[in-house]
Amino acid sequence: MRLELSPRPALLAAIATLSAAVPAATLAQSAAEPVATSASTVVLDYANVVATGSTIILNRLPIKLPNGSYIYKDVTINLTASSTGVLTVSPAKPTQTASPPVLSAKFNAGTYVYPSNPNYGLVLVGPSVVAAQSITRWQTNAAPALLKYCGIPTTFYVGDIKQNPLYATRLKPAGITSTEYSYGIIEDGAACGGQWGAGTIIGASQSGDYLTVASFKTTTGQDAATPQSRYTYRLK
């Protein structure tokens, strides 16, 4: 059985606990990598996590380097259990390779706040690759310690608009053709109603540290070809 977990706090906590038993230098670097002057930071929260059997796979695990830039790695961790149930990582050094580039449209995963009231915000998670299609999937969700605001929860897709799963049923009938946005749907549990309620077509775009979400629903509840309402968030 293959379970997609993106992310699951309990699983990530377990990974962190297991990793503590492995020498830090082994987890941080391969022999071919240069030694940094200070430690890099592993950001498990935004990895795409898949667990199957006794193997944990971290796709596009972000690692923040001392200079503030990010690299991404695909990491495979194999677990074994002793006769008394004690877990260990085997082999001790997880398999790690550089993540292949994916379509991102300049989206940056992270926590975003509403500039005029930073008590409100959302978290952007992604990307994950959609199998057999040249698109990637991103999600907006509620952010810890922040109040929810319009534009969550959503799933939207980056890439050729005709490859978007919503193209035939929602985007094309609405007359949406602009490549300015990446399109998706507001899901159940929407933070706002009206033009930002569940089932609304949403467009997302990124410019620097600013994430804009746009509603493509009219005030009468119809799908529209152009944005009807917008909110812009700033990367925290």
Side-chain angles (χ1 to χ4, degrees):
M1 179 173 67
R2 191 176 182 85
L3 302 176
E4 290 200 8
L5 311 167
S6 184
R8 291 291 188 272
L11 177 57
L12 297 182
I15 296 171
T17 301
L18 288 165
S19 298
V22 183
T26 300
L27 286 173
Q29 299 176 315
S30 68
E33 294 174 331
V35 177
T37 55
S38 59
S40 299
T41 303
V42 177
V43 190
L44 284 169
D45 309 63
Y46 300 114
N48 295 299
V49 185
V50 175
T52 177
S54 59
T55 300
I56 301 170
I57 301 172
L58 306 171
N59 289 316
R60 292 194 62 78
L61 172 64
I63 302 172
K64 185 178 182 180
L65 302 180
N67 64 6
S69 64
Y70 284 84
I71 61 173
Y72 294 84
K73 289 193 174 183
D74 294 338
V75 179
T76 300
I77 302 171
N78 293 301
L79 305 179
T80 59
S82 70
S83 59
T84 58
V86 176
L87 293 173
T88 56
V89 178
S90 179
K93 181 179 179 180
T95 302
Q96 53 183 296
T97 59
S99 300
V102 298
L103 293 171
S104 67
K106 300 182 180 179
F107 287 106
N108 295 315
T111 299
Y112 290 77
V113 296
Y114 192 52
S116 62
N117 189 341
N119 292 318
Y120 291 85
L122 55 80
V123 62
L124 176 64
V125 180
S128 59
V129 178
V130 179
Q133 292 180 281
S134 56
I135 57 175
T136 56
R137 177 173 52 238
W138 295 74
Q139 294 177 304
T140 65
N141 289 300
L146 292 178
L147 298 172
K148 296 189 293 184
Y149 209 52
C150 299
I152 60 172
T154 68
T155 297
F156 65 89
Y157 301 88
V158 173
D160 183 353
I161 190 173
K162 292 184 179 180
Q163 294 292 318
N164 190 303
L166 303 172
Y167 179 73
T169 57
R170 298 290 299 277
L171 304 183
K172 185 177 180 180
I176 296 174
T177 59
S178 173
T179 57
E180 179 182 356
Y181 294 95
S182 298
Y183 299 98
I185 285 287
I186 298 179
E187 298 167 347
D188 290 342
C192 300
Q195 289 177 286
W196 293 90
T200 298
I201 296 174
I202 191 171
S205 66
Q206 180 107 27
S207 178
D209 288 343
Y210 291 87
L211 172 69
T212 296
V213 290
S215 166
F216 284 72
K217 178 189 280 187
T218 67
T219 56
T220 57
Q222 305 302 310
D223 289 346
T226 57
Q228 303 297 296
S229 178
R230 294 184 182 91
Y231 286 98
T232 297
Y233 297 89
R234 183 187 71 242
L235 187 63
K236 186 175 180 181

